[in-house]
Coordinates of all heavy atoms in Angstrom, one line a residue:
L21 N 32.5 -23.2 -144.5 CA 33.8 -23.8 -144.2 C 33.6 -25.3 -143.9 O 32.6 -25.7 -143.4 CB 34.4 -23.1 -143.0 CG 34.7 -21.6 -143.2 CD1 35.2 -21.0 -141.9 CD2 35.8 -21.4 -144.3
G41 N 28.1 -31.8 -133.6 CA 28.6 -32.0 -132.3 C 29.4 -33.3 -132.2 O 29.6 -33.8 -131.1
E114 N 12.9 -27.3 -129.0 CA 11.8 -27.5 -128.1 C 10.5 -26.7 -128.7 O 9.8 -26.1 -127.9 CB 12.0 -26.9 -126.7 CG 13.1 -27.7 -126.0 CD 13.4 -27.2 -124.6 OE1 12.9 -26.2 -124.2 OE2 14.2 -28.0 -123.9
Q175 N 36.6 -44.4 -140.2 CA 37.2 -43.2 -140.8 C 38.3 -42.6 -139.9 O 38.2 -41.5 -139.4 CB 36.1 -42.1 -141.0 CG 35.1 -42.5 -142.1 CD 34.1 -41.5 -142.4 OE1 33.7 -40.7 -141.5 NE2 33.5 -41.5 -143.6
K198 N 47.8 -64.6 -148.8 CA 47.2 -63.3 -148.5 C 46.7 -63.3 -147.1 O 46.5 -64.4 -146.5 CB 46.0 -63.0 -149.5 CG 44.9 -64.1 -149.6 CD 43.9 -63.7 -150.6 CE 42.8 -64.7 -150.7 NZ 41.7 -64.3 -151.8
M307 N 51.3 -40.5 -115.6 CA 50.0 -40.6 -115.9 C 49.5 -42.1 -116.1 O 48.4 -42.4 -115.9 CB 49.6 -39.8 -117.2 CG 49.7 -38.3 -116.9 SD 48.6 -37.6 -115.8 CE 47.0 -37.8 -116.6

Side-chain angles (χ1 to χ4, degrees):
L21 299 174
E114 296 181 348
Q175 292 184 330
K198 59 184 179 181
M307 294 293 291

